[in-house]
Amino acid sequence: MAYVRRTISNYELQKSLMLDQVDAGNGMLFGTAEVRKIEPRKNALTLVIGIGGSGAAAVAEADRLVEQKFCPGYQNYVDFLVVDSDVYEIEKVRNNSNVRTLCISTPGARERMRCRSEFFRKFMPADYDIEKINDHGASADRMTGKVKLYDVSEDGITTNDVKFQNMITDLFREKWMEYRGLPVDIVILTGISGGTGSGIFVDLAARAKHACRVAEAGGAEIYGYIMLPDTAEQFACSEEKRQIFYQNGYAALKELESYMSI
């Protein structure tokens, strides 16, 4: 069966996530909507990071919610960053908002991976299918998402993981210079059904926290809103795709569990 690209509407995403019905994490963005606008917290900063297609859509919803819930000036304390391997999704975000974006699909990645460096050989299976690497997503493959994260960035100067860290330290040097002593809540929004979110959300969480330490923030805590495979079942075009969603989700959660048990 051919795969048909389907855009997830904000309504469908909100229904899946039960936004405005439940709350967790730092309580800044989600939860029961207030009748009146509230003042943002001024004793902490919030960095919202959307990863993959679901994360990008969730960031768009979070951006809408903060406009509704908070008084003017919240922008000083809240910032958004989207990381995705799908060029189309990144362009959609860039065209419709001022959210910071990082596209980790760099032309020529497939050719570079044919001659893998020692670094990539440490974690890439010897039988990894290079043909999975393309410019539009991670082919629902966790390893492809991870390969793209550590590949050369769009500027050709550094790698995507370093570029990601630099974007956060630049945020502190520019927008958050006067607030750099405040603690930071890092909120990760991602689905773990596809290849990008399930493959790199743990890596990006660790690198975001490291970047905050480099920027001399007053501490950093990580919170996660993770969309499990059952929220994406309706978007599976076949039973095989549905099984892949659950395999990715299981592997991602086992990886997270392994780090938590260290």
Side-chain angles (χ1 to χ4, degrees), residues 5 49-57 81-94 100-106 135-138 145 148-149 154 160 164 190 194-197 200 204:
R5 177 178 293 277
I49 302 173
I51 306 171
S54 297
L81 170 59
V82 167
V83 181
D84 198 6
S85 61
D86 192 316
V87 175
Y88 296 133
E89 293 296 331
I90 286 289
E91 286 303 316
K92 189 189 305 181
V93 175
R94 288 174 177 171
R100 301 168 197 270
T101 60
L102 173 61
C103 180
I104 60 173
S105 283
T106 312
D135 293 340
H136 306 300
K148 289 192 171 189
L149 175 62
E154 287 181 309
N160 286 313
F164 171 76
T190 187
T196 305
I200 68 174
L204 290 188

Side-chain angles (χ1 to χ4, degrees), residues 26-97:
N26 71 345
M28 277 284 288
L29 301 178
F30 304 122
T32 303
E34 295 282 344
V35 176
R36 59 181 179 79
K37 291 200 172 185
I38 58 177
E39 288 289 338
R41 289 189 309 156
K42 297 183 178 180
N43 61 347
L45 303 170
T46 301
L47 174 60
V48 184
I49 302 173
I51 306 171
S54 297
V59 162
E61 184 68 9
D63 194 23
R64 182 188 69 80
L65 286 173
V66 294
E67 283 286 346
Q68 288 184 351
K69 291 178 65 172
F70 291 98
C71 297
Y74 76 87
Q75 298 95 334
N76 295 331
Y77 303 93
V78 180
D79 208 88
F80 298 91
L81 170 59
V82 167
V83 181
D84 198 6
S85 61
D86 192 316
V87 175
Y88 296 133
E89 293 296 331
I90 286 289
E91 286 303 316
K92 189 189 305 181
V93 175
R94 288 174 177 171
N95 293 335
N96 297 323
S97 70

Side-chain angles (χ1 to χ4, degrees), residues 21 51 88 121 254 260-261:
Q21 298 177 42
I51 306 171
Y88 296 133
R121 292 180 189 277
K254 288 298 288 184
M260 293 175 66
S261 65

